[in-house]
Amino acid sequence: MRRLDAGQRSAEELRKITGNEFITATTLDLADLASVSAFTRAWNGPLHILVNNAGVMALPELQRSALGCEMQFASNFLGHFLLVVELREALASAGGARVVSVSSTGHLFSPVVFDDLHYRFRPYDPWTAYGQSKTADVLLSVEVTARWADDGIVSNALNPGAISTGLQKHTGGLRTPEEFQKSVEQGASTSVLLAASPLVEGIGGRYFENNNEADVVTERSENLGRAGGVANYAIDGENARRLWREAISLTAAE
């Protein structure tokens, strides 16, 4: 995490609540691939559960990472991609690992636009940029499962729902109708299901919301409270393979 002091305070609180003295926090900036690689080099031992939860949303102006990538794509997807790839050995050694990627109904705003990932031709739009980054997170789970299931590694993606957090700092706060909002605990429930429940043992390459596998949809609802489902482009195997190749090229991962 970028704010190590805040992470350490949270870790201390969790140690007190749970009695687990092994809960720690360390530095990780997903927008900085050097930071990601430093984190993975320091990792020791098997890794049973990896939850890709960090993200930024609707940056009002076009920003680029050190590699020149659009920042939402860089932070929400590329950093997680490199993290997963460089931790593959640790995941495989767990003898049954799960990778969970937090996506969003925002993925319904845009597929991954392979011919212009970084807005070098398209006018920048905060929401389509966010949307393609969240579609990429779903495709990551599809391809991790396709490539690594034989190693005991499966991955699923999810929509946590509308939760009031710092994620909305660029949008003036959460705008979803109150009756469709969730608490932090409710929002975390699908992540916990995919990370730990025996109900999804061995299941991968899918997208969940409200603790159930989502329906495939062919268009996005304009109703902010009822928008849901997973777009067919977000679970398409060919899209997942193409994105993997693009990400390998961008990150120089092996």
Side-chain angles (χ1 to χ4, degrees), residues 26-28 32 47 51 58 60 75-76 83 92 98 128 133 140 145 158 190 194 210 248:
T26 190
T27 300
L28 174 60
D32 179 355
L47 177 58
V51 179
S75 298
N76 296 351
L83 183 70
R98 301 185 190 187
T128 58
S133 76
L140 175 60
T145 302
L158 70 118
T190 306
L194 296 177
N210 298 320
I248 289 288

Side-chain angles (χ1 to χ4, degrees), residues 216-251:
V216 178
V217 297
T218 57
E219 62 181 343
R220 175 172 57 86
S221 171
E222 294 298 330
N223 186 317
L224 285 175
R226 298 188 183 278
V230 59
N232 51 7
Y233 55 71
I235 53 173
D236 180 83
E238 180 52 42
N239 286 345
R241 289 186 289 274
R242 184 177 181 184
L243 180 63
W244 190 278
R245 294 192 297 268
E246 292 280 353
I248 289 288
S249 176
L250 287 167
T251 63

Side-chain angles (χ1 to χ4, degrees), residues 158-159 182 186-195 208-211:
L158 70 118
N159 164 33
K182 292 184 177 183
Q186 289 169 332
S189 64
T190 306
S191 293
V192 173
L193 171 82
L194 296 177
F208 288 72
E209 57 190 0
N210 298 320
N211 294 310

